[in-house]
Amino acid sequence: MMRPDDSITVLQGVGPKKAEAYARLGVKTIKDLLMLMPRDHQDRRTAKKIRELVPGQTALVRGIVVKSNLAYIRSRRGQMMHVTISDDSDLMDIVFFNARFLKDKFPQGKEIYFYGRVGMNRGRLQLLHPEFSYGVQGLLPVYPLTAGIGQNEIRKNIKSAIACADQLEGCLPEDMVSENALPSLAEAIRLIHFPGEPEDITRAKERLIFEDLFVLQTGLLMMKITKNRGTKKTASHEEFISGLSYELTGAQKRAVSDIAADMASEEQMNRLLQGDVGSGKTIVAESAMFRAVRSGQQAAFMAPTDILAKQHFANLKKDLGRYGITVGCLSGSMKQSEKNEELERLRTGKTDVIVGTHALLQEGVEFSDLGLVVCDEQHRFGVSQRMTLNEKGESPDILIMTATPIPRTLAVILYGDMDVSVIDELPPGRKKIITKAVTEKKRDDVYRALEQVVENGGQAYVVCPLIEDSDAVEARSAEGVYEELSKKFPHLTVRLLHGEMKKEEKDEVMASFSEGRTDILVSTVVIEVGIDVPNASVMIIENCERFGLAQMHQLRGRVGRGSRQSYCMLVLGSKSDIAVERAKVMTESDDGFYIAERDLDLRGPGEVFGTRQHGLADSHITGLISHLDIMETVREKAVMILKKDPELDDPENLALREAVEALYGEDMTMNM
Ligand code: ADP
Ligand code: MG
């Protein structure tokens, strides 16, 4: 007998080639196949009258074959099957090319169902290459496809595997199933693949969503509950805060005290610090590092790129250095001998705070006593990364900072395992950035404005979607724009920055811009996160239709950091509805949360949050957002279960534990 864990190759007609194609859909076993969710269902229950058909619509037609004829066509070097059918309303043509294999399929007088897109040919309605069957088909599931595997094949394979559904065990507790009148998992799987009526699909989905959310929440809660013991860091950060030249905002103060409380406790801190661009997260992190060092431990600060690491290094050295704290840096562009010296200082505890990229997590980087890790511009920190860290110190506290505003609805789902502090207030005195969207025609105006700002001592970013010109993509490239601007403004210093340049070159360009020696920086999105050059007051985004809302918001956040009035100019290369709509959102709002919500509306959550990396299917997340009430229900249940059985060791919870491990991986990594 077939078992759910069997490879799909046990199915007839599924050999190694097909298995490879299935693997691309994430299907390896019979169970995976049964859990492959249709992305849609086609309603093939009722046929339309031929007379009522409209060209362009997709429809099911039932007709009796009046005549059929296989003809040789010279121009196409093949044979054409031409069938005329009739229902009691009208006649219609059905056409197939290269159709010798259909020779005997349409005998006169036979009733046949055709499904396809209605077209017109010489004034007559026709269906070209429709699907056909000899009986009515009901609600037909439509599966996601990949090269090498067809819709009908998947349907056929699922039909052969469906008997196995009874062996699949759901992990929802019985009382939850009965309280919510849900079908069993086996029943839900049968209904989703072979529904009789639309209500069946709804019922099936409800069970599957409950199932998904329950597993998701249980996993998140497990991560949250299983807190490691760390060390208490009880030194005060007051000296640092009172030494600042400005007053912290209320939101910053709250974040600082959240973090201080976490650090003073024995449990390992796992906190996300969320704050819009420019909200002042760095100083909050610095106060935490100060506390760690004053408590006798070391701190590590990880930046997403080398450029940012350098920038933070300079700031930290300035801000923490005056309290006698030693700040070091490890960078990819350093000489090996320099690196070795720094590694040695770190290992012996001479360096208190180390700045670098994620390379800090690598082997060979040893600490004397690591107490805190700050991770800048990161959404999430997988459990495997946390484990690596825990080995580098005694479960050091972890502070993750992100400027990606996550709509609250999603935050519950994505950060269920973390504590969250939000900085929802900008430092006082910031001038609003003036944002304008223009078309190509207004380019001269844009350049005039640019020149004026720069001549008054300001600096500008020009961001392009491409590095170099491309035949395949119609968009402006950083190299092209760089040449154009260099020619147009020979009296100004224009520099180019993109991801394919050598590290040293990038660093040099960036340094020249932050020190004010470069007027206009033409770049790709490498400057997206974190760069802080307060004197820069113009951001021009070329072909802004190629950037997502969240990304544009990030880019815009690079200006408006100093005392100058700042401008953001979006140059539209296309006037598609969505491009215009996005530009409009940008000109109307500077609220990162609002923009993120709109981004979600316009693009769908999968794209926004890169759910591929997240390990959750797009459809799942979409489902999640519209089912927050279910989320509450399952969360309560999950809390109850974990209270009794925190590690899910109880045999009764075996299925749940397996499902959690399947979703998060055995080490419970859930990376974004
Ligand atoms: P982000 O949250 O984007 O990382 P930063 O930490 O880079 O923001 O802060 C942006 C700028 O605001 C920095 O130049 C910083 O010195 C300044 N800043 C931060 N907090 C305050 C405050 N409370 N008052 C005035 N300026 C501040
Ligand atoms: Mg920052």
Side-chain angles (χ1 to χ4, degrees), residues 393-635:
E394 243 180 277
S395 298
D397 286 331
I398 299 173
L399 178 67
I400 294 168
M401 306 201 284
T402 177
T404 308
I406 313 285
R408 272 165 221 290
T409 43
L410 265 183
V412 193
I413 299 165
L414 297 178
Y415 300 133
D417 63 323
M418 281 195 241
D419 298 307
V420 181
S421 297
V422 179
I423 306 187
D424 51 5
E425 191 180 345
L426 291 181
R430 293 274 166 84
K431 290 208 179 90
K432 248 188 161 29
I433 301 167
I434 298 174
T435 302
K436 288 210 170 107
V438 299
T439 56
E440 199 54 41
K441 271 190 255 158
K442 294 274 174 72
R443 176 169 298 282
D444 284 344
D445 296 355
V446 171
Y447 283 167
R448 251 194 304 279
L450 170 69
E451 189 174 19
Q452 206 171 29
V453 168
V454 174
E455 280 178 349
N456 283 320
Q459 287 167 282
Y461 298 99
V462 182
V463 176
C464 304
L466 302 177
I467 295 182
E468 54 187 46
D469 286 334
S470 149
D471 291 334
V473 190
E474 210 175 295
R476 288 167 68 83
S477 72
E479 284 182 355
V481 170
Y482 165 71
E483 268 166 38
E484 182 181 317
L485 292 179
S486 305
K487 255 190 227 134
K488 194 167 174 70
F489 304 122
H491 55 300
L492 302 177
T493 312
V494 185
R495 297 291 302 266
L496 175 67
L497 180 71
H498 62 70
E500 279 175 17
M501 284 163 46
K502 285 212 196 74
K503 268 200 177 92
E504 303 90 78
E505 246 183 307
K506 281 194 275 192
D507 288 350
E508 195 274 311
V509 172
M510 214 41 240
S512 149
F513 189 71
S514 37
E515 287 158 21
R517 287 180 279 120
T518 289
D519 301 310
I520 302 173
L521 183 64
V522 182
S523 81
T524 54
V525 285
V526 287
I527 57 143
E528 187 180 347
V529 284
I531 296 284
D532 187 24
V533 181
N535 190 48
S537 63
V538 175
M539 167 62 68
I540 297 176
I541 304 179
E542 295 281 354
N543 292 98
C544 68
E545 71 278 2
R546 296 193 161 266
F547 296 91
L549 271 177
Q551 207 172 20
M552 283 194 271
H553 181 65
Q554 281 282 333
L555 287 170
R556 180 168 60 183
R558 299 305 113 218
V559 298
R561 304 188 143 234
S563 52
R564 287 173 184 276
Q565 172 60 55
S566 291
Y567 301 88
C568 174
M569 289 183 260
L570 309 171
V571 187
L572 277 162
S574 134
K575 286 173 84 178
S576 72
D577 289 350
I578 187 148
V580 172
E581 182 61 32
R582 276 204 220 126
K584 199 167 144 234
V585 173
M586 287 297 293
T587 53
E588 285 172 359
S589 173
D590 58 5
D591 176 348
F593 283 94
Y594 171 76
I595 290 174
E597 305 250 2
R598 295 291 293 136
D599 208 15
L600 213 53
D601 293 347
L602 291 171
R603 285 202 296 165
E607 256 187 90
V608 178
F609 293 100
T611 37
R612 191 162 277 281
Q613 301 156 24
H614 188 275
L616 293 170
D618 196 2
S619 60
H620 282 78
I621 291 262
T622 316
L624 300 180
I625 295 167
S626 46
H627 294 97
L628 286 171
D629 49 333
I630 298 183
M631 183 69 96
E632 280 304 309
T633 318
V634 298
R635 194 178 169 87

Side-chain angles (χ1 to χ4, degrees), residues 2-15 18-39 141-146 149-165 168 185-186 188-194 208:
M2 204 187 289
R3 313 259 328 151
D5 290 335
D6 289 345
S7 153
I8 44 163
T9 49
V10 301
L11 292 172
Q12 209 171 27
V14 181
K18 293 282 168 207
E20 235 170 73
Y22 265 124
R24 282 197 295 275
L25 294 171
V27 173
K28 296 207 175 80
T29 62
I30 295 292
K31 178 178 175 186
D32 296 338
L33 180 65
L34 291 174
M35 296 306 273
L36 181 69
M37 291 297 125
R39 53 178 172 77
V142 183
Y143 297 98
L145 291 181
T146 180
I149 206 150
Q151 206 54 255
N152 280 329
E153 251 170 314
I154 298 186
R155 289 179 189 143
K156 202 179 87 199
N157 291 336
I158 288 184
K159 206 168 194 163
S160 332
I162 195 72
C164 252
L168 290 179
L185 182 62
I189 288 172
R190 271 193 298 272
L191 291 176
I192 199 97
H193 294 302
F194 307 100
L208 295 167

